[in-house]
Amino acid sequence: MKDFIVDYHVREKLKNFYLRKGRWLIHLLYWAYVYILGQVRAEEPVWAWEGFLLNFLFDNWLIIVFYYLYCLVLVPAYLKKERYGRFWTVQAIAFIVLPVADMYFQLHFQPYVPKQYQDYDFRDFHFRSHVGQFYYLYFMNFLLFSTFLFLMETAESLTNYREEQEAEEVKLQHEKMLLQTNIDPAFVMHALDGLSALSANSDTHTPDAVIRFSDILRYRLYRSNEARVLLADEIAQVRNLFELQNSLYGPCCILETEGDTTGKFIPTLAMVNIAEPICNTFQPGHEWQLIMYLLIEDKQLHIAIEWNAALAHKESVLAAIRQNLTHFYPEESAVLDTELMDYNYSIRISLPMHYTAT
């Protein structure tokens, strides 16, 4: 059933391919050229019903059958589906039979056509010489038609390539926007549970924790539409995240920085989306600690993370961090190295710096 559905969609896509999207106009222009050229050679008016019927259709109807059998049946039904044996077999039969049929058609019916429209001299009919003339005519038409279709295919391929590139860019932009605006439900639930516990215990850290939590949400929601933010603002949000974690669960996160942040930019949420997946792994009652060192250089931001946790599935967290970096740095300009020793996970990340917001 699946193969039938796929085959149906393929047939629908290929059916009348060379006539859709305005391509029929190219066919119309081509045949108009053939018709006008025939009228000029016969020294007849450009538009005349007699010329159209006897000079154009009479001479070309089997060539037209040959052409449209080729481009509307053989190419989509066989060539495009890689059924090359059938394609060339039917094409060879058509090429052998139709020129001969056309020759005998002209031989028997041309005497009934006005003399100015008679293109062939059959007074001294000789099969080999005359059939060779028709084979040459059909062969040249085949080359011309194949070139004609090839140009159509090339134009379509270029259009499809541009559309695919644009669609891929739009997809990446939407994925990046979703990544930036997507708030991890685990983070929200853990934070709300922690804030509820602080409030129930009338903890003095409750007001600061609520402010920090709201600031984190506000930053993700309202700054995520910016391509880049000041490095100082991004570091401030990571610090907010760490301080919230410390308020909820006690001192477990440390952030240390070295270097000048002035005039330096970074993709929005690039650092927050590194720290947040790790923070979400906190489990009350289990040993857990996160230390992040930032070394800020002129062109690079070096991040060293020491993460100590009794967590069996650390690789899934690392995979999330890699995915985030891929979206923020699609050119593979970000470098990530890891080292695991017992419960301690060492992560080293190098990110390129920017000096403009766009």
Side-chain angles (χ1 to χ4, degrees):
M1 184 65 180
K2 180 181 178 181
D3 292 338
F4 173 79
I5 294 174
V6 171
D7 189 60
Y8 171 78
H9 284 290
V10 170
R11 287 200 310 270
E12 288 299 309
K13 183 176 181 180
L14 295 177
K15 186 171 65 176
N16 300 327
F17 172 82
Y18 295 108
L19 296 176
R20 296 200 304 259
K21 296 182 180 180
R23 298 184 188 93
W24 60 268
L25 182 60
I26 301 176
H27 293 258
L28 181 63
L29 292 174
Y30 173 76
W31 292 118
Y33 164 76
V34 173
Y35 165 71
I36 293 172
L37 183 63
Q39 289 296 95
V40 171
R41 286 179 176 177
E43 299 181 352
E44 292 290 319
V46 172
W47 176 250
W49 277 110
E50 186 181 58
F52 178 75
L53 294 174
L54 300 179
N55 194 34
F56 174 69
L57 286 182
F58 181 83
D59 288 342
N60 295 292
W61 73 274
L62 272 173
I63 294 178
I64 292 173
V65 170
F66 175 72
Y67 174 43
Y68 287 105
L69 174 68
Y70 170 69
C71 74
L72 296 183
V73 179
L74 299 185
V75 172
Y78 300 129
L79 186 64
K80 291 292 186 180
K81 295 182 180 180
E82 299 182 353
R83 299 170 181 172
Y84 301 119
R86 292 186 182 182
F87 170 78
W88 288 112
T89 300
V90 178
Q91 180 67 14
I93 294 173
F95 183 74
I96 292 171
V97 172
L98 290 180
V100 176
D102 198 0
M103 181 186 68
Y104 279 107
F105 174 81
Q106 295 290 335
L107 177 65
H108 286 88
F109 292 100
Q110 183 176 266
Y112 301 102
V113 174
K115 193 170 184 61
Q116 68 267 29
Y117 297 138
Q118 296 181 9
D119 295 331
Y120 304 99
D121 184 3
F122 292 113
R123 286 174 297 180
D124 185 18
F125 177 73
H126 188 271
F127 179 83
R128 286 188 178 181
S129 61
H130 281 87
V131 80
Q133 182 180 0
F134 278 85
Y135 276 126
Y136 175 78
L137 175 66
Y138 273 73
F139 179 71
M140 294 307 295
N141 273 278
F142 176 74
L143 290 181
L144 180 62
F145 296 150
S146 298
T147 303
F148 182 49
L149 299 184
F150 174 76
L151 293 176
M152 280 191 181
E153 293 268 2
T154 302
E156 181 71 12
S157 297
L158 291 175
T159 301
N160 290 340
Y161 177 76
R162 287 195 296 267
E163 290 177 353
E164 288 174 3
Q165 291 296 107
E166 291 173 1
E168 188 64 25
E169 291 177 3
V170 171
K171 177 185 175 183
L172 289 175
Q173 290 175 359
H174 283 296
E175 286 180 349
K176 184 175 179 180
M177 183 62 67
L178 179 63
L179 185 65
Q180 290 176 323
T181 57
N182 185 31
I183 301 175
D184 193 331
F187 167 73
V188 176
M189 294 304 298
H190 289 162
L192 290 176
D193 288 343
L195 291 173
S196 178
L198 289 180
S199 178
N201 295 327
S202 300
D203 194 290
T204 57
H205 294 100
T206 303
D208 287 340
V210 171
I211 292 173
R212 293 185 187 282
F213 180 61
S214 63
D215 193 27
I216 292 170
L217 297 182
R218 191 182 303 111
Y219 180 80
R220 185 178 282 277
L221 289 173
Y222 296 111
R223 299 294 297 276
S224 59
N225 60 339
E226 302 176 25
R228 296 172 186 166
V229 293
L230 284 167
L231 176 60
D233 292 345
E234 187 76 7
I235 292 175
Q237 291 309 310
V238 175
R239 193 177 300 279
N240 257 342
L241 180 62
F242 280 23
E243 291 299 329
L244 174 64
Q245 198 85 350
N246 291 335
S247 297
L248 296 177
Y249 309 117
C252 56
C253 295
I254 299 173
L255 176 63
E256 296 184 0
T257 64
E258 181 180 346
D260 184 16
T261 62
T262 305
K264 295 182 176 68
F265 290 83
I266 193 172
T268 310
L269 294 166
M271 288 180 56
V272 173
N273 280 2
I274 293 173
E276 188 178 283
I278 300 177
C279 290
N280 290 341
T281 64
F282 180 85
Q283 295 177 345
H286 293 80
E287 181 181 356
W288 194 95
Q289 186 178 42
L290 174 61
I291 303 174
M292 180 180 287
Y293 302 94
L294 305 180
L295 175 59
I296 306 165
E297 297 181 344
D298 287 341
K299 296 183 179 181
Q300 291 285 325
L301 171 63
H302 299 284
I303 304 174
I305 299 174
E306 298 297 328
W307 171 30
N308 189 11
L311 182 66
H313 304 292
K314 291 185 177 180
E315 283 297 329
S316 62
V317 178
L318 181 61
I321 294 174
R322 287 187 186 277
Q323 182 183 18
N324 292 337
L325 292 177
T326 300
H327 283 289
F328 290 116
Y329 299 94
E331 297 84 8
E332 299 182 355
S333 53
V335 178
L336 186 148
D337 294 311
T338 62
E339 182 181 354
L340 177 61
M341 295 181 62
D342 296 329
Y343 292 128
N344 188 67
Y345 216 165
S346 295
I347 304 174
R348 302 292 182 266
I349 303 173
S350 294
L351 304 179
M353 302 297 301
H354 303 279
Y355 288 89
T356 59
T358 57

